Amino acid sequence: MKTLIIINDPPYGTERLYNGLRLAHAMSKRGSETTVFLMGDAVSGAKSGQKTPDGFYNTERMIKRVTSKGQVLLCGTCMDARGITEEEVVDGAQRSTMDALAEATEAADKVLVF
């Protein structure tokens, strides 16, 4: 099964990115071919070098876990709007486009939006 998870919210302040990444990891463990597409403020969750307090989730580490078995794509326009360059993002996460999102949507068996 192919699963596409689209996430729009910032990495901290709400838990949508956190929960979307948890689900992506769980789906990958079950054998799903999982793609996560981060849009809007969610792209900042893929920034490397995050320092969070002990005991608090860290979206950089979570994205690395998802990229080990799946794919994490980042809206390029959203990155540009936030001043995030490709060099600043987590290894394995990739700058992407709306055309790539359209293709992933057409190819997916299930599309979930957070």
Side-chain angles (χ1 to χ4, degrees), residues 23-82:
L23 179 58
H25 180 64
M27 293 298 291
S28 293
K29 287 191 325 186
R30 291 169 109 44
S32 176
E33 187 179 316
T34 305
T35 298
V36 174
F37 196 96
L38 303 182
M39 301 182 77
D41 286 338
V43 297
S44 61
K47 194 161 182 333
S48 61
Q50 295 179 39
K51 293 176 177 60
T52 53
D54 289 340
F56 198 71
Y57 67 89
N58 180 296
T59 60
E60 176 184 0
R61 285 193 301 264
M62 294 179 78
I63 287 171
K64 286 179 183 176
R65 189 172 20 175
V66 172
T67 61
S68 69
K69 292 185 179 181
Q71 186 176 33
V72 176
L73 304 176
L74 310 172
C75 167
T77 304
C78 304
M79 288 174 63
D80 292 343
R82 287 152 185 83

